[in-house]
Amino acid sequence: MKAFVIGSSAVRARRLDRVALPSMRALAEDTRLPVNLGVRDGQSAIYIEQFETGGTMRLLLRLGRQLPLHATAIGKVLVAWLWDDALAQAIGDGPLASFTVHTTTDRDIFLADLDAVRANGWATDDQEYEEGLFCVAAPIRDRSGEVVAGLSVSSLASRVGDEAIRELARHVTAAASEVSGKLGWQSANSGLDFELDQFID
């Protein structure tokens, strides 16, 4: 999976993980947290690169492992900007699987969550896939604006408060925008407004 190449013409000549690695390293050093790079493969998200610093947080998810789109921050940013038909195909027709007591299994609630992801430009996973794990992810776009990957940081949920989420979101979106710029994407927005009320009780 390290050799996985996105089907976009913007990145065929370069491996996405190689392009993203410098920004991932800087993000890990800034946050002192593990950083993940993921892409969508059908109805799953797949990590194709990870970077960790010498901090105490360690990830046990191996590269190439299939992860649910609806229960992970990276999965949410990978599907949030899909057209309706493509989104329906990505999340499937059946019920949304439950992994923890925090997993959203109601399809309407999940779609409303994606509205918030699009509005904010980033997504969270608050123990929805794994108890005790909190993640923040932002989309990586190619030169056409298509979301081709997601970038995330992972933390212990017990260590993340409102201000920490805001700071992590700023770091992650900045790093994802940097990678997108390397792929030729030029955002029309100079900054992002974060509306945390949609993610934090």
Side-chain angles (χ1 to χ4, degrees):
M1 292 309 304
K2 292 269 302 219
F4 188 96
V5 178
I6 306 300
S8 167
S9 61
V11 294
R12 280 184 183 141
R14 296 174 294 180
R15 282 173 50 180
L16 179 58
D17 57 351
R18 186 174 300 169
V19 174
L21 192 57
S23 298
M24 294 177 65
R25 181 182 296 109
L27 179 59
E29 292 173 351
D30 287 342
T31 62
R32 305 298 296 171
L33 293 171
V35 176
N36 312 292
L37 177 68
V39 298
R40 184 169 69 91
D41 180 25
Q43 296 183 343
S44 301
I46 295 177
Y47 285 165
I48 60 171
E49 186 60 273
Q50 294 174 330
F51 193 91
E52 297 181 353
T53 65
T56 57
M57 181 76 184
R58 290 288 184 271
L59 282 180
L60 300 178
L61 296 176
R62 68 183 184 276
L63 297 181
R65 179 176 177 177
Q66 291 184 322
L67 304 171
L69 295 170
H70 71 283
T72 58
I74 266 188
K76 292 175 188 178
V77 298
L78 290 173
V79 300
W81 284 270
L82 292 176
W83 294 103
D84 290 346
D85 289 346
L87 175 60
Q89 186 176 11
I91 63 176
D93 298 327
L96 301 179
S98 178
F99 298 93
T100 74
V101 296
H102 305 283
T103 306
T104 296
T105 57
D106 184 285
R107 191 174 298 268
D108 290 336
I109 295 176
F110 173 65
L111 294 178
D113 193 11
L114 294 187
D115 288 338
V117 172
R118 287 187 290 270
N120 289 278
W122 49 277
T124 62
D125 159 16
D126 188 0
Q127 307 183 74
E128 295 166 47
Y129 180 61
E130 184 176 338
E131 290 282 355
L133 186 65
F134 186 95
C135 300
V136 181
I140 293 174
R141 301 176 183 273
D142 65 12
R143 66 185 305 169
S144 71
E146 180 183 356
V147 175
V148 294
L151 192 66
S152 75
V153 293
S154 302
S155 176
L156 295 177
S158 59
R159 296 181 180 178
V160 179
D162 292 5
E163 287 303 314
I165 294 174
R166 182 182 295 274
E167 287 304 307
L168 288 177
R170 292 190 185 280
H171 283 294
V172 175
T173 52
S177 294
E178 183 177 66
V179 178
S180 298
K182 294 177 181 178
L183 299 179
W185 168 242
Q186 294 183 347
S187 174
N189 299 318
S190 58
L192 290 171
D193 294 324
F194 300 110
E195 297 294 337
L196 296 179
D197 291 343
Q198 299 174 77
F199 291 93
I200 306 170
D201 294 329

